[in-house]
Amino acid sequence: MSTLRKLTIDDLDVKGKRVLVRVDFNVPLKEDEQGNLVVADDTRIREALPTIRALMQAGAKVILMSHLGRPKGQPDPRYSLAPVARRLEELLGVRVRFVSNIVGEAVRQAINSMPEGGVILLENTRFHPGETKNDPELARQLAELADVYVNDAFGSAHRAHASTEGVAHYVKQAAMGYLMKREVEYLSRLLENPEHPFVAILGGAKVSDKIGVIKNLLPRVDRLLIGGAMSYTFLKALGHNVGASRVEEDRLEEARQLYEEAQGKILLPVDHVVAPESPTKRPLRSSKATSRTASWGWTSVRKPSSATARKSCRPARWSGTAPWAFSKCPTLRRAPLPSPRRWPSHRPGRPDRG
């Protein structure tokens, strides 16, 4: 498999070198009793630890960068990686220096003063407007910070951003981290020689981010379950009332064509919870599709058959934002898409986790 012949950190001599590592620290934050932001779930941080520790032990100067949330290209304290730096420091048991920028003189000085085996975490890459635009100048400035670039952000690798795709064009040497290597090996096996029936579950906010993934998966899978906010673009394209839910209006025709070309392979959510605003501000209310949903948004989804799959089928692997894959699942069956007038209601006492 050609993907597996790419360099990994085991192929590199990093002693004394500056190693810029793109990790996926896009973790949920919450307020503690003192009102300070802390990490609510450190799973993604823990997944990056093997790569970070291996580089530290090899004597590298480890420079970590990640995005968090959608701060829209400007600094926003709600999305700062400072709480992540504190949690990473606890998990590593060594000092993690946090730098409140991603490029510039302060960042260069912090890196120059690093000891071998030291760790620095840069601020949220999305605080810079050039990150999501894959700005070549930002990518070049990031590359200047390092001798080696390592991508270990599997959950973000599909995005052509300055810190993922852009920077790789300007570094002398690039390689995969352990998390990236593991996931690439696993998905390569699934995609090249899957066992059937083969079902994938895909989520996310934007159809536009997943078009390529969907087109590549459809010839390989028996069913593709689509959830998350992207499902509402499909539902609206099929004529359903989705209220004020997030929809990519410019992708409606493409979503409709994909659904039709899939010939029954794509399954969309059949159970929803609606609310006039974010459920973190006001309790959720359940509803069938009525006139009030014109200004309300669908806020939570139970993916059809996924609960059945978890109970009756052994998942191949649960993998961040990647497609969830199940094989040998005889209980999975096609669920008909309900009429817009007959959305199933949410059962009280069982909060959804969409």
Side-chain angles (χ1 to χ4, degrees), residues 309-327:
R310 291 192 191 100
K311 290 179 182 178
S312 61
C313 308
R314 189 171 187 176
R317 178 178 293 278
W318 303 98
S319 178
T321 59
W324 298 340
F326 297 90
S327 58

Side-chain angles (χ1 to χ4, degrees), residues 6-318:
K6 294 186 179 296
L7 291 177
T8 71
I9 58 174
D10 290 331
D11 301 313
L12 307 177
D13 177 12
V14 297
K15 181 173 175 57
K17 293 182 179 179
R18 303 165 300 162
V19 181
L20 183 63
V21 187
R22 179 53 159 96
V23 289
D24 184 4
F25 286 169
N26 185 28
V27 298
L29 303 178
K30 65 179 181 180
E31 287 189 0
D32 62 13
E33 295 177 355
Q34 289 73 42
N36 300 315
L37 285 176
V38 297
V39 174
D41 183 344
D42 63 6
T43 301
R44 291 186 177 184
I45 303 175
R46 291 179 180 272
E47 287 179 337
L49 293 181
T51 294
I52 297 171
R53 286 181 173 136
L55 291 170
M56 291 170 61
Q57 292 168 5
K61 297 181 178 183
V62 186
I63 309 153
L64 305 175
M65 60 177 176
S66 174
H67 78 283
L68 195 159
R70 298 177 184 271
K72 300 182 179 179
Q74 57 187 3
D76 186 333
R78 296 175 299 172
Y79 300 108
S80 174
L81 283 169
V84 176
R86 292 192 290 270
R87 182 56 183 150
L88 178 61
E89 187 170 271
E90 294 171 357
L91 293 172
L92 287 175
V94 299
R95 185 195 176 201
V96 174
R97 183 172 178 180
F98 177 69
V99 184
S100 57
N101 210 329
I102 61 171
V103 291
E105 186 59 31
V107 175
R108 288 192 292 271
Q109 289 181 4
I111 293 172
N112 290 338
S113 63
M114 287 180 71
E116 292 184 4
V119 181
I120 281 180
L121 175 62
L122 306 182
E123 184 54 282
N124 191 340
T125 57
R126 289 189 180 175
F127 281 4
H128 195 292
E131 163 68 337
T132 57
K133 298 175 183 178
N134 199 6
D135 178 37
E137 178 58 24
L138 175 60
R140 185 189 61 77
Q141 291 181 47
L142 288 171
E144 288 178 350
L145 301 177
D147 303 303
V148 178
Y149 171 70
V150 172
N151 194 335
D152 207 30
F154 181 77
S156 302
H158 64 288
R159 294 188 174 94
H161 289 176
S163 66
T164 55
E165 195 271 345
V167 65
H169 294 285
Y170 295 93
V171 292
K172 299 175 183 177
Q173 199 169 36
M176 297 187 293
Y178 290 144
L179 174 60
M180 179 72 78
K181 177 187 176 184
R182 186 185 74 202
E183 299 290 6
V184 167
E185 288 176 343
Y186 179 77
L187 284 178
S188 296
R189 291 197 300 270
L190 274 181
L191 294 176
E192 292 178 11
N193 189 28
E195 295 183 61
H196 291 273
F198 181 34
V199 178
I201 304 177
L202 190 63
K206 294 182 177 181
V207 173
S208 54
D209 286 346
K210 305 295 192 301
I211 291 293
V213 176
I214 294 172
K215 288 181 176 179
N216 278 306
L217 282 175
L218 281 174
R220 296 174 168 86
V221 301
D222 298 289
R223 292 288 185 270
L224 177 60
L225 279 58
I226 294 180
M230 64 185 289
S231 65
Y232 298 115
T233 299
F234 280 92
L235 289 169
K236 184 170 182 178
L238 298 177
H240 293 274
N241 173 19
V242 298
S245 302
R246 181 172 185 168
V247 170
E248 288 185 278
E249 299 288 346
D250 61 335
R251 297 288 180 165
L252 290 175
E253 180 60 24
E254 192 168 13
R256 185 189 63 78
Q257 290 179 0
L258 272 176
Y259 186 86
E260 292 179 353
E261 291 170 4
Q263 298 182 339
K265 283 188 176 183
I266 292 179
L267 303 186
L268 299 171
V270 297
D271 197 4
H272 304 252
V273 173
V274 299
E277 57 185 65
S278 169
T280 60
K281 299 179 181 178
R282 190 174 297 183
L284 287 171
R285 301 179 187 180
S286 62
S287 174
K288 295 181 181 179
T290 63
S291 59
R292 63 183 170 182
T293 60
S295 60
W296 285 18
W298 304 105
T299 61
S300 186
V301 176
R302 275 201 293 272
K303 303 177 183 69
S305 299
S306 60
T308 304
R310 291 192 191 100
K311 290 179 182 178
S312 61
C313 308
R314 189 171 187 176
R317 178 178 293 278
W318 303 98

